[in-house]
Coordinates of all heavy atoms in Angstrom, one line a residue:
I546 N -8.6 11.4 -8.0 CA -7.2 10.6 -8.0 C -7.8 9.0 -8.2 O -8.5 8.5 -7.5 CB -6.4 10.8 -6.8 CG1 -5.9 12.2 -6.7 CG2 -5.3 9.8 -7.0 CD1 -5.3 12.4 -5.4
L547 N -7.2 8.5 -9.4 CA -7.5 7.1 -9.7 C -6.4 6.2 -9.2 O -5.2 6.4 -9.5 CB -7.6 7.0 -11.2 CG -8.4 5.8 -11.7 CD1 -9.9 5.8 -11.2 CD2 -8.4 5.8 -13.2
I548 N -6.6 5.2 -8.2 CA -5.7 4.3 -7.9 C -6.2 2.9 -8.1 O -7.4 2.8 -8.6 CB -5.5 4.4 -6.3 CG1 -6.7 4.1 -5.5 CG2 -4.9 5.9 -6.0 CD1 -6.5 4.0 -4.0
D549 N -5.4 1.8 -7.8 CA -5.8 0.5 -8.1 C -6.0 -0.3 -6.7 O -5.1 -0.2 -5.9 CB -4.8 -0.2 -9.0 CG -4.6 0.6 -10.3 OD1 -5.4 0.3 -11.2 OD2 -3.7 1.5 -10.4
R550 N -7.0 -1.1 -6.7 CA -7.1 -1.9 -5.5 C -7.3 -3.3 -5.8 O -8.0 -3.6 -6.8 CB -8.4 -1.3 -4.7 CG -8.6 -2.2 -3.3 CD -9.8 -1.6 -2.5 NE -11.0 -1.5 -3.3 CZ -11.8 -0.3 -3.3 NH1 -11.5 0.6 -2.3 NH2 -12.9 -0.4 -3.9
C551 N -6.6 -4.1 -5.1 CA -6.6 -5.6 -5.3 C -8.0 -6.2 -4.9 O -8.5 -5.9 -3.9 CB -5.5 -6.2 -4.6 SG -5.5 -8.1 -4.9
T552 N -8.5 -7.1 -5.9 CA -9.9 -7.8 -5.6 C -9.7 -8.8 -4.5 O -10.8 -9.4 -4.0 CB -10.4 -8.3 -6.8 OG1 -9.5 -9.2 -7.4 CG2 -10.8 -7.2 -7.8
N553 N -8.5 -9.3 -4.2 CA -8.2 -10.3 -3.3 C -7.8 -9.8 -1.9 O -8.4 -9.9 -0.8 CB -7.4 -11.3 -3.8 CG -7.1 -12.6 -2.9 OD1 -8.0 -13.1 -2.5 ND2 -5.9 -12.7 -2.6
C554 N -6.6 -9.4 -1.8 CA -5.9 -8.8 -0.7 C -6.2 -7.3 -0.2 O -6.0 -7.0 0.8 CB -4.4 -9.1 -0.6 SG -3.5 -8.0 -1.6
H555 N -6.8 -6.7 -1.1 CA -7.3 -5.3 -1.0 C -6.2 -4.3 -0.7 O -6.4 -3.2 -0.3 CB -8.4 -5.1 0.2 CG -9.5 -5.9 -0.1 ND1 -10.6 -5.4 -0.8 CD2 -9.9 -7.2 0.3 CE1 -11.5 -6.3 -0.9 NE2 -11.2 -7.5 -0.3
G556 N -4.9 -4.7 -1.2 CA -3.7 -3.8 -1.2 C -4.0 -2.7 -2.2 O -4.9 -2.8 -3.1
L557 N -3.3 -1.5 -2.2 CA -3.4 -0.5 -2.9 C -2.2 0.0 -3.7 O -1.2 -0.1 -3.2 CB -3.9 0.8 -2.0 CG -5.2 0.7 -1.2 CD1 -5.4 1.8 -0.3 CD2 -6.3 0.4 -2.2
W558 N -2.5 0.2 -5.0 CA -1.2 0.7 -5.8 C -1.5 2.1 -6.0 O -2.5 2.6 -6.6 CB -1.2 -0.1 -7.2 CG -0.2 0.5 -8.1 CD1 -0.3 1.5 -9.1 CD2 1.3 0.2 -8.0 NE1 0.9 1.8 -9.5 CE2 1.8 1.1 -9.0 CE3 2.0 -0.5 -7.2 CZ2 3.4 1.1 -9.1 CZ3 3.5 -0.5 -7.3 CH2 4.1 0.2 -8.3
F559 N -0.4 2.9 -5.8 CA -0.5 4.4 -6.0 C 0.6 4.8 -7.2 O 1.8 4.4 -6.8 CB -0.2 5.2 -4.8 CG -1.2 4.9 -3.7 CD1 -0.8 4.0 -2.7 CD2 -2.2 5.6 -3.5 CE1 -1.7 3.6 -1.6 CE2 -3.2 5.4 -2.4 CZ -2.8 4.4 -1.5
D560 N 0.2 5.3 -8.2 CA 1.3 5.9 -9.1 C 1.8 7.1 -8.6 O 1.1 8.0 -7.9 CB 0.5 6.2 -10.5 CG -0.1 5.0 -11.3 OD1 0.7 3.9 -11.1 OD2 -1.1 5.1 -11.8
D561 N 3.0 7.4 -8.9 CA 3.8 8.5 -8.6 C 3.6 9.0 -7.2 O 3.8 8.2 -6.2 CB 3.6 9.7 -9.6 CG 3.9 9.2 -11.0 OD1 5.0 8.5 -11.2 OD2 3.1 9.3 -11.9
D562 N 3.0 10.2 -6.9 CA 2.7 10.7 -5.6 C 1.3 10.7 -5.2 O 0.8 11.5 -4.4 CB 3.4 12.2 -5.4 CG 2.6 13.2 -6.4 OD1 1.8 12.8 -7.3 OD2 2.6 14.4 -6.1
E563 N 0.5 9.8 -5.8 CA -0.9 9.8 -5.5 C -1.2 9.5 -4.0 O -2.2 10.1 -3.6 CB -1.5 8.6 -6.3 CG -1.7 8.9 -7.8 CD -2.3 7.8 -8.6 OE1 -2.2 6.6 -8.3 OE2 -2.8 8.1 -9.7
A564 N -0.4 8.7 -3.3 CA -0.7 8.5 -1.8 C -0.7 9.8 -1.2 O -1.6 10.0 -0.2 CB 0.3 7.5 -1.3
H565 N 0.4 10.6 -1.4 CA 0.5 11.8 -0.5 C -0.5 12.9 -1.1 O -1.1 13.6 -0.2 CB 1.9 12.4 -0.8 CG 3.0 11.5 -0.2 ND1 3.6 10.6 -0.8 CD2 3.5 11.5 1.1 CE1 4.4 10.0 0.0 NE2 4.4 10.5 1.2
R566 N -0.9 12.9 -2.3 CA -1.9 13.8 -2.8 C -3.3 13.4 -2.1 O -4.1 14.2 -1.6 CB -2.1 13.8 -4.2 CG -0.8 14.6 -4.8 CD -0.9 14.7 -6.4 NE -2.2 14.4 -7.0 CZ -2.3 13.7 -8.1 NH1 -1.4 13.0 -8.5 NH2 -3.4 13.6 -8.8
L567 N -3.5 12.1 -2.1 CA -4.8 11.5 -1.6 C -4.8 11.8 -0.1 O -5.8 11.9 0.5 CB -4.8 9.9 -1.8 CG -6.3 9.4 -1.9 CD1 -7.3 10.0 -2.9 CD2 -6.2 7.9 -2.3
K568 N -3.6 11.5 0.5 CA -3.7 11.8 2.0 C -4.2 13.1 2.6 O -4.8 13.3 3.5 CB -2.2 11.6 2.5 CG -2.0 11.6 4.1 CD -0.4 11.5 4.3 CE -0.3 11.5 5.9 NZ 1.0 11.3 6.3
A569 N -4.0 14.1 1.6 CA -4.3 15.5 1.9 C -5.6 15.7 1.6 O -6.3 16.8 2.1 CB -3.5 16.4 1.0
M570 N -6.4 14.9 1.1 CA -7.9 15.0 0.9 C -8.8 14.5 2.0 O -8.6 13.4 2.4 CB -8.2 14.3 -0.5 CG -7.5 14.9 -1.7 SD -7.8 13.9 -3.1 CE -9.5 14.3 -3.6
F571 N -9.7 15.3 2.3 CA -10.7 14.9 3.3 C -11.3 13.6 3.0 O -12.0 13.5 1.8 CB -11.5 16.1 3.5 CG -12.7 15.7 4.7 CD1 -12.4 15.8 5.9 CD2 -14.0 15.4 4.3 CE1 -13.3 15.6 6.9 CE2 -14.9 15.1 5.3 CZ -14.6 15.1 6.6
G572 N -11.6 12.8 3.9 CA -12.4 11.6 3.6 C -11.8 10.6 2.8 O -12.3 9.5 2.5
S573 N -10.6 10.7 2.2 CA -9.9 9.8 1.4 C -9.6 8.3 1.9 O -9.4 7.5 1.1 CB -8.7 10.4 0.7 OG -7.7 10.6 1.7
E574 N -9.6 8.2 3.1 CA -9.4 6.9 3.8 C -10.4 5.8 3.3 O -10.1 4.7 3.4 CB -9.2 7.0 5.2 CG -10.5 7.4 6.0 CD -10.8 8.8 6.0 OE1 -9.9 9.7 5.5 OE2 -11.8 9.3 6.6
V575 N -11.5 6.3 2.7 CA -12.6 5.4 2.3 C -12.1 4.4 1.1 O -12.7 3.4 1.0 CB -13.8 5.9 1.9 CG1 -14.4 6.8 3.1 CG2 -13.7 7.0 0.8
V576 N -11.1 4.8 0.5 CA -10.5 3.9 -0.6 C -9.9 2.6 0.0 O -9.8 1.7 -0.7 CB -9.6 4.6 -1.6 CG1 -10.2 5.9 -2.2 CG2 -8.4 5.1 -0.9
D577 N -9.4 2.8 1.1 CA -8.8 1.6 1.7 C -9.8 0.7 2.6 O -10.2 0.9 3.7 CB -7.7 1.9 2.8 CG -6.7 1.0 3.3 OD1 -7.1 -0.3 3.1 OD2 -5.9 1.3 4.0
T578 N -10.4 -0.2 1.8 CA -11.6 -1.1 2.4 C -10.9 -2.5 2.9 O -11.9 -3.1 3.4 CB -12.4 -1.4 1.2 OG1 -11.7 -2.2 0.2 CG2 -13.1 -0.1 0.6
G579 N -9.8 -2.6 3.0 CA -9.2 -3.9 3.4 C -9.0 -3.9 5.0 O -9.0 -3.0 5.8
D580 N -8.9 -5.1 5.5 CA -8.8 -5.4 6.8 C -7.2 -5.4 7.2 O -6.5 -6.0 6.7 CB -9.3 -6.8 7.2 CG -9.1 -7.2 8.6 OD1 -8.6 -6.4 9.4 OD2 -9.6 -8.3 9.0
P581 N -6.9 -4.5 8.2 CA -5.5 -4.2 8.5 C -4.9 -5.6 9.0 O -3.7 -5.9 8.7 CB -5.4 -3.3 9.6 CG -6.7 -2.6 9.6 CD -7.7 -3.5 8.9
T582 N -5.6 -6.5 9.7 CA -5.1 -7.7 10.1 C -4.7 -8.6 8.9 O -3.7 -9.2 9.0 CB -6.2 -8.4 10.9 OG1 -6.6 -7.6 11.9 CG2 -5.7 -9.6 11.7
E583 N -5.4 -8.5 7.9 CA -5.2 -9.3 6.7 C -4.0 -8.6 6.0 O -3.1 -9.4 5.5 CB -6.3 -9.2 5.7 CG -6.5 -10.2 4.7 CD -6.4 -11.6 5.2 OE1 -7.0 -12.0 6.2 OE2 -5.9 -12.5 4.6
G584 N -3.9 -7.3 6.0 CA -2.6 -6.6 5.4 C -1.4 -7.0 6.1 O -0.3 -7.1 5.4
W585 N -1.4 -7.2 7.4 CA -0.2 -7.5 8.1 C 0.5 -8.7 7.7 O 1.6 -9.0 7.8 CB -0.4 -7.5 9.7 CG -0.8 -6.2 10.2 CD1 -0.4 -4.9 9.8 CD2 -1.6 -6.0 11.4 NE1 -0.9 -4.0 10.6 CE2 -1.7 -4.6 11.6 CE3 -2.2 -6.9 12.2 CZ2 -2.4 -4.1 12.7 CZ3 -3.0 -6.2 13.3 CH2 -3.0 -4.9 13.5
K586 N -0.4 -9.8 7.4 CA 0.0 -11.1 6.8 C 0.9 -10.9 5.6 O 1.7 -11.8 5.3 CB -1.3 -11.9 6.5 CG -2.0 -12.2 7.7 CD -3.4 -13.1 7.3 CE -4.2 -13.4 8.4 NZ -5.4 -14.1 8.1
W587 N 0.7 -9.9 4.8 CA 1.5 -9.7 3.6 C 2.7 -9.0 3.8 O 3.7 -9.0 2.9 CB 0.6 -9.0 2.5 CG -0.5 -9.9 2.1 CD1 -1.7 -9.8 2.6 CD2 -0.5 -10.9 1.2 NE1 -2.7 -10.8 2.0 CE2 -1.8 -11.4 1.1 CE3 0.4 -11.5 0.3 CZ2 -2.1 -12.5 0.2 CZ3 0.1 -12.5 -0.5 CH2 -1.2 -13.0 -0.5
D588 N 3.1 -8.4 5.0 CA 4.3 -7.7 5.2 C 5.5 -8.4 5.0 O 6.6 -7.9 4.5 CB 4.3 -7.1 6.7 CG 3.6 -5.8 6.8 OD1 3.4 -5.1 5.8 OD2 3.3 -5.5 7.9
S589 N 5.6 -9.7 5.4 CA 6.8 -10.5 5.2 C 7.2 -11.0 3.9 O 8.1 -11.7 3.7 CB 6.7 -11.6 6.3 OG 5.7 -12.4 6.0
H590 N 6.2 -10.8 3.0 CA 6.5 -11.4 1.7 C 7.6 -10.6 1.0 O 7.5 -9.4 0.9 CB 5.1 -11.2 0.6 CG 4.2 -12.2 1.0 ND1 4.1 -13.4 0.5 CD2 3.2 -12.2 2.1 CE1 3.0 -14.1 1.0 NE2 2.5 -13.4 2.0
S591 N 8.5 -11.3 0.4 CA 9.8 -10.7 -0.3 C 9.6 -10.8 -1.7 O 8.6 -11.5 -2.4 CB 11.0 -11.3 0.4 OG 11.0 -12.6 0.1
D592 N 10.5 -10.3 -2.4 CA 10.5 -10.4 -3.9 C 9.3 -9.9 -4.5 O 8.6 -10.7 -5.3 CB 10.8 -11.9 -4.3 CG 12.2 -12.4 -3.8 OD1 13.1 -11.5 -3.7 OD2 12.3 -13.6 -3.6
I593 N 8.9 -8.6 -4.2 CA 7.8 -8.0 -4.9 C 8.2 -7.2 -6.2 O 9.1 -6.5 -6.1 CB 7.1 -7.1 -3.8 CG1 6.9 -7.7 -2.5 CG2 5.8 -6.4 -4.4 CD1 6.0 -9.0 -2.5
F594 N 7.4 -7.5 -7.2 CA 7.9 -6.8 -8.5 C 6.8 -5.9 -8.9 O 5.6 -6.0 -8.7 CB 8.0 -8.0 -9.5 CG 9.2 -8.9 -9.1 CD1 8.8 -10.0 -8.5 CD2 10.4 -8.6 -9.5 CE1 9.9 -10.9 -8.1 CE2 11.5 -9.5 -9.1 CZ 11.3 -10.6 -8.4
C595 N 7.2 -4.7 -9.6 CA 6.4 -3.7 -9.9 C 5.5 -4.1 -11.0 O 5.9 -4.9 -11.9 CB 7.3 -2.5 -10.5 SG 6.3 -1.1 -11.3
P596 N 4.1 -3.9 -10.8 CA 3.2 -4.3 -11.9 C 3.3 -3.7 -13.2 O 2.6 -4.1 -14.2 CB 1.9 -4.1 -11.3 CG 2.0 -3.0 -10.4 CD 3.5 -3.1 -9.7
H597 N 4.2 -2.6 -13.3 CA 4.3 -1.8 -14.6 C 5.6 -2.3 -15.3 O 5.6 -2.6 -16.6 CB 4.4 -0.4 -14.4 CG 3.0 0.3 -14.0 ND1 2.0 0.5 -14.8 CD2 2.6 0.7 -12.7 CE1 1.1 1.0 -14.1 NE2 1.3 1.2 -13.0
C598 N 6.7 -2.4 -14.6 CA 7.9 -2.6 -15.2 C 8.5 -4.0 -14.9 O 9.7 -4.4 -15.4 CB 8.9 -1.4 -15.0 SG 9.6 -1.4 -13.2
S599 N 8.0 -4.7 -13.9 CA 8.4 -6.0 -13.4 C 9.8 -6.0 -12.7 O 10.3 -7.0 -12.3 CB 8.6 -7.0 -14.6 OG 7.2 -7.1 -15.2
K600 N 10.4 -4.8 -12.4 CA 11.6 -4.6 -11.6 C 11.2 -4.9 -10.0 O 10.1 -4.6 -9.6 CB 12.1 -3.3 -11.7 CG 12.8 -3.1 -13.2 CD 13.4 -1.7 -13.1 CE 13.8 -1.4 -14.6 NZ 14.3 0.1 -14.8
E601 N 12.3 -5.6 -9.4 CA 11.9 -5.7 -8.0 C 11.7 -4.3 -7.3 O 12.5 -3.5 -7.5 CB 13.2 -6.6 -7.4 CG 12.7 -6.9 -5.9 CD 13.8 -7.9 -5.4 OE1 14.7 -8.3 -6.1 OE2 13.7 -8.3 -4.2
M602 N 10.7 -4.4 -6.4 CA 10.4 -3.2 -5.7 C 11.3 -3.1 -4.4 O 11.6 -4.1 -3.8 CB 8.9 -3.1 -5.4 CG 8.2 -3.1 -6.7 SD 6.3 -3.2 -6.4 CE 6.0 -1.6 -5.6
E603 N 11.5 -1.8 -4.0 CA 12.2 -1.5 -2.9 C 11.4 -1.6 -1.6 O 10.2 -1.1 -1.7 CB 13.0 0.0 -2.9 CG 13.9 0.0 -4.0 CD 14.4 1.4 -4.3 OE1 14.2 2.4 -3.3 OE2 15.0 1.6 -5.2
K604 N 11.9 -2.2 -0.6 CA 11.1 -2.2 0.7 C 11.5 -1.1 1.4 O 12.5 -0.5 1.5 CB 11.4 -3.4 1.6 CG 11.2 -4.7 0.9 CD 11.8 -5.9 1.6 CE 11.4 -7.3 0.9 NZ 12.2 -7.5 -0.2
A605 N 10.3 -0.3 1.9 CA 10.5 1.0 2.6 C 9.5 1.0 3.8 O 8.6 0.3 3.9 CB 10.1 2.0 1.7
A606 N 9.8 2.0 4.7 CA 8.9 2.4 5.8 C 8.7 3.9 5.8 O 9.6 4.6 5.4 CB 9.4 2.0 7.1
D607 N 7.6 4.4 6.2 CA 7.2 5.7 6.2 C 8.2 6.5 7.2 O 8.2 5.9 8.5 CB 5.8 6.0 6.5 CG 5.3 7.4 6.4 OD1 5.6 8.0 5.4 OD2 5.2 8.1 7.5
P608 N 8.9 7.5 7.0 CA 9.7 8.1 7.9 C 9.1 8.6 9.1 O 9.6 8.6 10.3 CB 10.4 9.2 7.1 CG 10.1 9.2 5.8 CD 8.9 8.2 5.7
K609 N 7.8 9.1 9.1 CA 7.0 9.7 10.2 C 6.4 8.6 10.9 O 6.1 8.7 12.0 CB 6.2 10.7 9.7 CG 6.8 12.0 9.2 CD 5.7 12.9 8.8 CE 6.3 14.3 8.3 NZ 5.1 15.2 7.9
Q610 N 6.0 7.5 10.2 CA 5.3 6.4 10.9 C 6.0 5.1 10.4 O 5.6 4.4 9.6 CB 3.8 6.4 10.3 CG 3.1 7.6 10.7 CD 1.9 7.8 9.7 OE1 1.8 8.0 8.7 NE2 0.6 7.5 10.4
A611 N 7.1 4.7 11.2 CA 8.0 3.7 10.8 C 7.2 2.3 10.8 O 7.8 1.3 10.3 CB 9.2 3.6 11.7
H612 N 6.2 2.2 11.3 CA 5.4 0.9 11.5 C 4.6 0.7 10.2 O 4.1 -0.4 10.0 CB 4.5 0.9 12.6 CG 3.3 1.8 12.5 ND1 3.6 3.2 12.8 CD2 2.0 1.8 12.1 CE1 2.4 3.9 12.6 NE2 1.4 3.0 12.3
I613 N 4.6 1.7 9.2 CA 3.9 1.4 8.1 C 5.0 1.0 7.0 O 5.8 1.8 6.6 CB 3.1 2.8 7.5 CG1 2.2 3.1 8.5 CG2 2.6 2.5 6.2 CD1 1.4 4.5 8.3
W614 N 4.9 -0.3 6.5 CA 5.9 -0.8 5.6 C 5.2 -0.9 4.2 O 4.0 -1.4 4.1 CB 6.3 -2.0 6.0 CG 7.0 -2.3 7.3 CD1 7.3 -1.2 8.1 CD2 7.4 -3.5 8.0 NE1 8.1 -1.6 9.2 CE2 8.1 -3.1 9.2 CE3 7.2 -4.8 7.6 CZ2 8.5 -4.1 10.0 CZ3 7.7 -5.7 8.6 CH2 8.3 -5.4 9.7
Y615 N 5.8 -0.4 3.3 CA 5.3 -0.5 1.8 C 6.5 -0.8 0.9 O 7.6 -0.8 1.3 CB 4.6 0.8 1.5 CG 5.5 2.0 1.7 CD1 6.2 2.5 0.5 CD2 5.6 2.9 2.7 CE1 7.1 3.6 0.6 CE2 6.3 3.8 2.9 CZ 7.2 4.3 1.9 OH 7.9 5.3 1.9
E616 N 6.1 -1.0 -0.3 CA 7.0 -1.4 -1.3 C 7.0 -0.3 -2.4 O 5.8 0.3 -2.7 CB 6.7 -2.7 -2.0 CG 7.0 -3.9 -1.0 CD 5.9 -4.1 0.0 OE1 4.8 -3.8 -0.3 OE2 6.3 -4.5 1.0
M617 N 8.1 0.1 -3.0 CA 8.0 1.2 -4.0 C 8.8 0.9 -5.1 O 9.9 0.2 -5.0 CB 8.4 2.5 -3.4 CG 9.7 2.5 -2.7 SD 10.2 4.1 -2.2 CE 11.0 4.9 -3.6
C618 N 8.4 1.4 -6.3 CA 9.2 1.2 -7.6 C 9.6 2.9 -7.9 O 8.6 3.7 -8.0 CB 8.4 0.8 -8.7 SG 9.2 0.9 -10.3
P619 N 10.9 3.2 -7.8 CA 11.2 4.5 -8.0 C 10.7 5.1 -9.3 O 10.5 6.5 -9.4 CB 12.8 4.5 -8.0 CG 13.2 3.2 -7.5 CD 12.0 2.3 -7.8
E620 N 10.4 4.4 -10.3 CA 9.8 4.9 -11.6 C 8.4 4.8 -11.7 O 7.9 5.6 -12.4 CB 10.3 3.8 -12.7 CG 12.0 3.9 -12.9 CD 12.4 2.8 -13.9 OE1 11.7 2.5 -14.8 OE2 13.5 2.4 -13.7
H621 N 7.6 4.1 -10.9 CA 6.2 4.0 -11.1 C 5.3 4.1 -9.8 O 4.2 4.8 -10.1 CB 5.8 2.6 -11.7 CG 6.4 2.4 -13.0 ND1 7.6 1.6 -13.3 CD2 6.0 3.1 -14.3 CE1 7.9 1.7 -14.6 NE2 7.1 2.4 -15.1
G622 N 5.8 4.0 -8.7 CA 4.8 4.3 -7.6 C 5.1 3.3 -6.4 O 6.0 2.8 -6.3
M623 N 3.9 3.1 -5.6 CA 4.1 2.4 -4.4 C 2.9 1.5 -4.1 O 1.7 1.8 -4.6 CB 4.3 3.2 -3.1 CG 3.2 4.3 -2.9 SD 3.6 5.5 -1.6 CE 3.6 4.6 -0.1
F624 N 3.2 0.5 -3.4 CA 2.0 -0.4 -2.9 C 2.0 -0.4 -1.5 O 2.9 -0.7 -0.7 CB 2.4 -1.9 -3.5 CG 1.3 -2.9 -3.2 CD1 0.2 -3.0 -4.1 CD2 1.4 -3.7 -2.0 CE1 -0.8 -4.0 -3.8 CE2 0.4 -4.6 -1.7 CZ -0.7 -4.6 -2.6
M625 N 0.7 -0.3 -1.0 CA 0.4 -0.5 0.4 C -0.5 -1.6 0.7 O -1.5 -1.7 -0.1 CB -0.2 0.8 1.1 CG 0.7 2.0 1.2 SD -0.1 3.4 1.9 CE 1.3 4.4 2.3

Side-chain angles (χ1 to χ4, degrees):
I546 299 173
L547 198 63
I548 63 168
D549 302 276
R550 181 173 52 222
C551 180
T552 57
N553 180 55
C554 71
H555 297 277
L557 302 172
W558 175 265
F559 300 92
D560 292 321
D561 304 313
D562 70 338
E563 288 174 338
H565 293 92
R566 290 181 19 231
L567 201 57
K568 182 179 183 176
M570 297 174 68
F571 178 77
S573 61
E574 64 277 358
V575 298
V576 300
D577 191 353
T578 60
D580 178 359
T582 307
E583 202 53 40
W585 294 332
K586 294 176 185 176
W587 294 97
D588 274 342
S589 61
H590 286 268
S591 58
D592 302 328
I593 308 302
F594 298 92
C595 175
H597 290 286
C598 67
S599 300
K600 292 181 184 173
E601 188 168 358
M602 295 176 67
E603 298 172 10
K604 295 173 181 73
D607 184 68
K609 291 183 181 177
Q610 299 167 286
H612 65 283
I613 300 175
W614 297 354
Y615 57 88
E616 292 74 33
M617 62 177 265
C618 172
E620 296 174 28
H621 296 106
M623 66 191 287
F624 181 85
M625 288 186 167

